[in-house]
Amino acid sequence: GAVVSQHPSRVICKSGTSVKIECRSLDFQATTMFWYRQFPKQSLMLMATSNEGSKATYEQGVEKDKFLINHASLTLSTLTVTSAHPEDSSFYICSAIEGNQPQHFGDGTRLSIL
Amino acid sequence: EDQVTQSPEALRLQEGESSSLNCSYTVSGLRGLFWYRQDPGKGPEFLFTLYSAGEEKEKERLKATLTKKESFLHITAPKPEDSATYLCAVQAVGSGNTPLVFGKGTRLSVIA
C-alpha cells in the first residue's frame, strides 16, 4: 500500500518552456502533499506544502509565481515550473500523507533545462 | 530552528561488516523521527518512524534506535543490496501535517 506515482520521470526541454509534473496517490487519499527539490548529494529541500482544495504554502525563498502548485483532488497534485531556465534544473520529488501516517514519496522527476 | 545532522557522509563496508549510522537532531518538540532509504535517481523509501526516546524498531538487517538527541541506524551483516543513501528526518509537533526536516544523508556502499 501507500504508493505515490510521479510523472514524468525525466524531462529535457528548452529554456523558457513551462513544465508540469504530476503527483498521484494511487491507493490512498492524500490530505497533504509536499513538493521537494534535491541537488546532487544534498538533502531534500521543502518547496511547498499543498492541501487539497486550498492554496499551497510556500517556503521562504520559493517563488510561488515560478512554481505553481495545484492540489485539485485528494489523489492529485501538480507542480508547474513556469518559464523554466537552466538554474531550475534539479530533481523534484513529491510526497503524500494520509492522516497521521508517514510521508510516502514518488520516484522524482529529473528536470534538465537546456 | 529544527536541524538534522547525519554522520558519516559516506560509509564503505565489506559484506558482513556491521556498523551504525548516526542522526543528531534538534527540534522544538518531536512528533516523530523518520528513516528513509534512497536509491540513485529514486524517491526516498520509508523504513521506520520512532516517536519517543528508548524506542527501537527492526526490519531485516536494520535496527533503528532513538534517544532525546540522536538516532542510530544499525546495520547487521550488510549485503551489497543494502547499498543506498539513508536519510534521517524529524517532524516537529504542530497543528496538522508539519513538514519533515531532512539531513543530508549517509551514502552507504557495501562491497562483496
Side-chain angles (χ1 to χ4, degrees):
Chain A
V3 176
V4 176
S5 173
Q6 191 171 337
H7 179 80
S9 59
R10 185 173 180 97
V11 180
I12 302 173
C13 58
K14 294 181 179 179
S15 185
T17 306
S18 291
V19 178
K20 180 184 281 189
I21 303 170
E22 290 188 351
C23 180
R24 293 180 185 273
S25 56
L26 296 186
D27 53 358
F28 65 100
Q29 293 188 324
T31 48
T32 305
M33 288 184 170
F34 300 91
W35 288 94
Y36 295 84
R37 186 171 179 176
Q38 187 178 32
F39 292 103
K41 298 185 181 180
Q42 295 296 312
S43 180
L44 278 75
M45 298 301 297
L46 180 67
M47 298 176 66
T49 303
S50 170
N51 291 296
E52 184 265 339
S54 60
K55 289 184 178 180
T57 302
Y58 291 81
E59 294 300 298
Q60 193 172 11
V62 178
E63 298 177 58
K64 58 183 177 182
D65 294 331
K66 174 77 170 177
F67 300 99
L68 301 178
I69 292 172
N70 184 279
H71 193 160
S73 76
L74 283 171
T75 60
L76 173 65
S77 176
T78 60
L79 168 68
T80 302
V81 183
T82 62
S83 187
H85 289 92
E87 59 266 29
D88 298 322
S89 298
S90 190
F91 191 52
Y92 292 87
I93 310 176
C94 72
S95 71
I97 281 185
E98 179 183 28
N100 291 324
Q101 298 302 307
Q103 285 187 36
H104 290 276
F105 288 81
D107 270 343
T109 297
R110 174 74 57 195
L111 177 61
S112 300
I113 308 298
L114 305 176
Chain B
E1 184 184 342
D2 301 335
Q3 234 173 358
V4 176
T5 303
Q6 290 187 247
S7 62
E9 284 188 20
L11 181 63
R12 188 179 171 97
L13 298 174
Q14 292 293 320
E15 184 173 4
E17 180 186 0
S18 302
S19 189
S20 295
L21 313 182
N22 177 265
C23 171
S24 298
Y25 66 91
T26 54
V27 65
S28 50
L30 183 69
R31 173 182 281 183
L33 183 141
F34 301 80
W35 282 98
Y36 287 85
R37 169 190 171 132
Q38 186 176 24
D39 292 300
K42 299 289 186 181
E45 174 189 346
F46 172 73
L47 293 175
F48 304 108
T49 310
L50 301 167
Y51 295 102
S52 57
E55 190 175 359
E56 297 182 354
K57 288 193 176 171
E58 285 188 68
K59 180 181 179 181
E60 296 180 355
R61 295 178 291 282
L62 300 177
K63 178 180 175 180
T65 62
L66 181 65
T67 72
K68 288 186 178 180
K69 294 183 179 180
E70 58 191 349
S71 176
F72 290 95
L73 184 66
H74 306 277
I75 302 179
T76 302
K79 298 182 177 181
E81 53 262 41
D82 295 323
S83 298
T85 295
Y86 290 86
L87 298 170
C88 173
V90 296
Q91 184 180 32
V93 171
S95 59
N97 286 313
T98 53
L100 299 182
V101 176
F102 280 87
K104 291 184 178 181
T106 294
R107 293 189 306 281
L108 174 66
S109 301
V110 182
I111 312 302

